[in-house]
Amino acid sequence: MEGSHLQRQMACMRKSLFDQGFLDEQFIQLEELQDDANPNFVEEVVTLFYRDSTRLILNVDQALEKVPLDFTKLDNYMHQFKGSSSSIGAAKVKNECTQFKECCKAGNAEGCMRSFQQVKKEHAALRKKLEAYFQLARQAGTGETASRSK
Amino acid sequence: MKSIANEDLIGSKSMPHGNDVCQGPSSHSLNKKVTALVVEDNVVNQMIHKRLLSNLGIETQVVENGKEAVDLHHSGAVFDLILMDMEMPIMNGPEATRVLRAMGVRSKIVGVTAYSGDYEKRVFMDAGLDDYYEKPLTMAKLVSLLQELVDNN
C-alpha cells in the first residue's frame, strides 16, 4: 500500500519533470540503460554530471572576472557544459547554455554575464528536483524507474 | 568477424523494459566478442557510451583524446569499432582519424559530434570516417551502426 503510493508519487514527479520541460527524451535513453545489473545507472550519471558541471561553473565564474573576457575560452567551457547537459536530457540547462554560446559568438560581455546567471539558476533548480526524485525512488524501493509515460 | 551471423544481432538479451525496437548482439552467441574504443573527453559521455556498448555485450575501452587512441593502436591494440568524438584537447577527432587511417587502421570509425554544420561534417568524414552520428548517441543509433558492421562482414 505504502509502496504503491510512493511509486505513484514517483511517477507523478517524473511526469511533471518532462511536462515542465526540465527533462527531455535523452533522460529516457538513460533510464533504458538501467537494469538489474546497473540499478542506479541514472543516478550515477546525474551525480557525475553535477560533479563535472560544478567544476565547469567555477571555471566560467573565474573566466567571467577577467577583463577583457576571453570569449573563446568561455565558449569552450560552455561547449562541454552543453554537451553534458544534452547527454542527460537536462533540456532547460542545455537551452541556457545555447543562449550563453550565442552571447560568446556575438562578443556580448553583459549578455554572457546575464545568461550565465540563468544557466546556474536552471542547473540548481534541476539538481533539487532530481535529488528529490532519486530520494523518492529509493524510498519507493524500486530497482527500476517508473514506466515510460508521456 | 565472419563468425558473427546476422541473426546474432537479434540476441537473447532484450533491452530493459521490453523495448523490442532495440536489440543488440548477444555475447552468448558471438564466437568472437565485438570490441570497441570510445574516444571522448567528456566524462558524462564516456560513461553513457560505455554503458550503451556494454549493454550490447561489447567489450569497451575508453580514452580521453585522439592522441591516446593513436598511442593505443601503436602498442598493437585492435578494435572492431571506434567511436570518435570531434572536439578533444591535444588531438581532435579529425586529426586522430587521419593518423589512424595513415597507420593502416581499418576498423569502423564512427564520428560522434555535437556539430551539425555541413562543413564540419565534411571535414570529419574526409578525415576517414565510415560514418558519423550526432550527439547524444542513442541505443537505436548504435544498433543501426552495429548492424552495418555485421552486414559488412
Side-chain angles (χ1 to χ4, degrees):
Chain A
M1 254 74 79
E2 179 62 18
S4 74
H5 166 70
L6 283 172
Q7 281 172 26
R8 268 200 308 276
Q9 239 187 307
M10 195 180 125
C12 241
M13 198 185 275
R14 183 182 170 280
K15 188 171 184 301
S16 80
L17 285 170
F18 284 99
D19 290 347
Q20 290 171 24
F22 286 99
L23 295 177
D24 64 28
E25 171 75 29
Q26 185 57 23
F27 189 82
I28 297 172
Q29 287 290 320
L30 296 189
E31 290 178 321
E32 290 182 351
L33 289 173
Q34 190 159 284
D35 56 20
D36 291 337
N38 302 276
N40 304 308
F41 179 71
V42 182
E43 193 174 353
E44 285 166 11
V45 177
V46 169
T47 302
L48 182 61
F49 167 74
Y50 273 99
R51 189 160 68 228
D52 192 54
S53 55
T54 299
R55 177 185 59 87
L56 284 169
I57 286 177
L58 199 65
N59 288 341
V60 174
D61 269 334
Q62 286 172 352
L64 284 173
E65 283 170 13
K66 298 238 155 63
V67 179
L69 291 187
D70 183 344
F71 290 108
T72 307
K73 197 173 197 174
L74 286 167
D75 191 60
N76 287 341
Y77 286 138
M78 243 342 124
H79 180 74
Q80 285 289 319
F81 206 134
K82 184 179 169 182
S84 306
S85 308
S86 173
S87 294
I88 69 158
K92 290 193 182 194
V93 179
K94 183 181 85 173
N95 289 342
E96 296 302 337
C97 289
T98 303
Q99 293 303 314
F100 186 101
K101 280 171 73 77
E102 292 298 312
C103 293
C104 285
K105 267 205 211 79
N108 179 355
E110 211 181 287
C112 280
M113 309 272 189
R114 255 182 318 198
S115 64
F116 193 56
Q117 291 313 308
Q118 286 302 111
V119 169
K120 286 197 280 191
K121 182 169 157 252
E122 292 299 341
H123 181 259
L126 180 64
R127 184 180 210 156
K128 269 184 89 169
K129 288 186 183 288
L130 286 176
E131 274 170 1
Y133 175 69
F134 290 130
Q135 185 170 44
L136 195 57
R138 273 191 291 269
Q139 286 171 339
T142 49
E144 299 168 23
T145 54
S147 59
R148 186 174 167 169
S149 54
K150 266 194 164 165
Chain B
M1 288 303 292
K2 284 203 165 82
S3 60
I4 303 169
N6 274 356
E7 51 268 23
D8 289 340
L9 265 195
I10 317 299
S12 54
K13 184 185 166 107
S14 61
M15 293 311 301
H17 310 298
N19 180 351
D20 52 20
V21 169
C22 297
Q23 289 172 318
S26 163
S27 57
H28 316 297
S29 47
L30 289 176
N31 293 336
K32 175 181 159 289
K33 212 163 188 179
V34 177
T35 58
L37 176 66
V38 172
V39 190
E40 165 72 64
D41 65 325
N42 181 299
V43 293
V44 174
N45 289 335
Q46 281 177 5
M47 189 172 180
I48 295 171
H49 291 169
K50 187 163 188 188
R51 184 91 301 253
L52 273 168
L53 291 161
S54 300
N55 263 23
L56 293 172
I58 294 168
E59 209 170 275
T60 306
Q61 251 186 280
V62 179
V63 291
E64 57 184 33
N65 61 59
K67 182 165 186 309
E68 289 189 12
V70 168
D71 290 346
L72 208 54
H73 282 84
H74 268 307
S75 69
V78 178
F79 303 92
D80 297 309
L81 171 68
I82 301 172
L83 290 183
M84 184 76 79
D85 186 25
M86 185 154 99
E87 286 222 331
M88 291 176 287
I90 303 174
M91 189 188 287
N92 65 21
E95 181 61 25
T97 304
R98 267 190 290 273
V99 173
L100 289 174
R101 290 305 190 205
M103 280 169 67
V105 171
R106 286 198 290 275
S107 314
K108 185 176 174 97
I109 306 181
V110 173
V112 183
T113 168
Y115 289 99
S116 48
D118 286 338
Y119 176 72
E120 284 89 7
K121 281 177 191 171
R122 201 166 57 240
V123 167
F124 206 176
M125 284 298 287
D126 286 350
L129 293 181
D130 291 294
D131 206 343
Y132 72 88
Y133 281 90
E134 275 176 34
K135 276 189 205 178
L137 203 60
T138 62
M139 188 52 87
K141 289 174 187 174
L142 192 58
V143 169
S144 157
L145 71 93
L146 284 166
Q147 180 74 64
E148 284 169 21
L149 191 72
V150 165
D151 287 349
N152 293 339
N153 285 275

